[in-house]
Amino acid sequence: MYSSSFRLTNRDIDLAFEAGHLFLIFQPRIELATGRVLGAEAYVRWNHPDYGLMPPGLFLAFFERRGRSGDLTRFVASAAADAMAEWQARGQDWPVSINLSAGDITDAALPGVLNALFDERGLEPCRFTLEVPEGAFARHGEAAVLAIGEFRRLGFRTALDGGGAVIVPAQFVTPEHFDEIKISGSAIIQFARRLQHAGLGFIGKRVAQAAGQGLAATAVGVEDETTLLALAPLGFTAAQGAHI
């Protein structure tokens, strides 16, 4: 689909924002014990006028390299807040989560921007979860802790997102810093399922950390029923993915 002539430029990014080429899709998150919908995660998509619908893996790194990931985060947060306001007007009060980049953690203005977005729309910050990548602790450890503290002070929920491969100090995997742990990637989850009698490795440790602290543990990327049915015995409390 993408030939050797495929090339993105700064102008493509500008047009993506100006001409409405970016949009969100929402993936529901369910409670494993009941099947109840707990909320949804917002994912950004880019419908490029020349290249068509592009997968995130093709453009997220491009935004970051060009120093525009912060602009993208603001767009996603604003569009997600608009959707939440529209849902509430129809009587549907679904919580929403969005992904932050490691670079967002060092953006001192972001907490204020998000707070203003929700205040303008009359939304409660506690209905919005900011997913902090585990890699942020490796790259910006102290800044990550400070940013999480500020988000929570403003009333936002926070989740630790990753595969469990990056060591996050145990003192930060607590209710003081997070409401939820998310383990991403269907291949990782299926790997954990195969090792359920062998200690589960780093994935199992992360899930055990969540259980020990009373945090929700969500499996992300569930693509089949076999994986879905295996999650609760592994300690997961919620799930999302293409199968759901």
Side-chain angles (χ1 to χ4, degrees):
M1 179 179 178
Y2 303 103
S3 68
S4 57
S5 62
F6 173 74
R7 182 170 176 268
L8 294 172
T9 67
N10 287 335
R11 183 56 182 158
D12 286 303
I13 292 180
D14 291 336
L15 283 174
F17 290 115
E18 295 166 6
H21 298 157
L22 298 169
F23 65 97
L24 301 186
I25 62 170
F26 294 89
Q27 185 176 87
R29 171 175 167 266
I30 65 167
E31 185 176 51
L32 289 173
T34 64
R36 178 172 62 96
V37 176
L38 299 172
E41 180 170 349
Y43 291 109
V44 65
R45 296 292 185 265
W46 188 355
N47 191 14
H48 194 282
D50 296 323
Y51 305 125
L53 186 62
M54 297 195 297
L58 198 63
F59 66 82
L60 291 181
F62 175 72
F63 273 79
E64 186 170 3
R65 288 194 303 271
R66 297 302 174 99
R68 302 295 298 275
S69 60
D71 294 332
L72 187 61
T73 297
R74 284 163 168 74
F75 166 81
V76 171
S78 180
D82 286 342
M84 292 175 70
E86 181 180 340
W87 296 343
Q88 283 193 6
R90 299 203 304 255
Q92 177 58 269
D93 191 24
W94 272 11
V96 169
S97 66
I98 67 168
N99 290 287
L100 300 183
S101 69
D104 289 328
I105 298 302
T106 61
D107 184 351
L110 184 59
V113 169
L114 296 179
N115 190 54
L117 281 175
F118 274 68
D119 187 56
E120 289 167 2
R121 292 161 177 78
L123 298 171
E124 298 180 359
C126 65
R127 310 296 289 171
F128 202 62
T129 298
L130 302 167
E131 300 187 14
V132 179
E134 62 182 13
F137 283 87
R139 295 171 58 182
H140 312 291
E142 184 177 348
V145 175
L146 292 174
I148 291 166
E150 182 62 10
F151 290 137
R152 295 179 70 81
R153 185 188 69 80
L154 292 170
F156 294 102
R157 291 169 58 86
T158 51
L160 177 62
D161 185 27
V166 176
I167 296 176
V168 177
Q171 66 264 34
F172 300 130
V173 188
T174 67
E176 179 184 355
H177 299 92
F178 295 107
D179 301 282
E180 178 187 355
I181 304 300
K182 304 191 81 167
I183 306 293
S184 304
S186 58
I188 292 175
I189 294 166
Q190 290 170 14
F191 174 72
R193 179 167 60 86
R194 290 198 299 271
L195 294 182
Q196 59 183 305
H197 300 298
L200 298 180
F202 52 77
I203 298 169
K205 292 178 181 177
R206 180 64 56 78
V207 175
Q209 277 184 308
Q213 293 291 333
L215 304 176
T218 299
V220 180
V222 179
E223 296 181 352
D224 56 68
E225 186 174 4
T226 300
T227 300
L228 180 64
L229 295 176
L231 294 173
L234 295 175
F236 288 99
T237 60
Q240 63 185 80
H243 175 67
I244 299 165

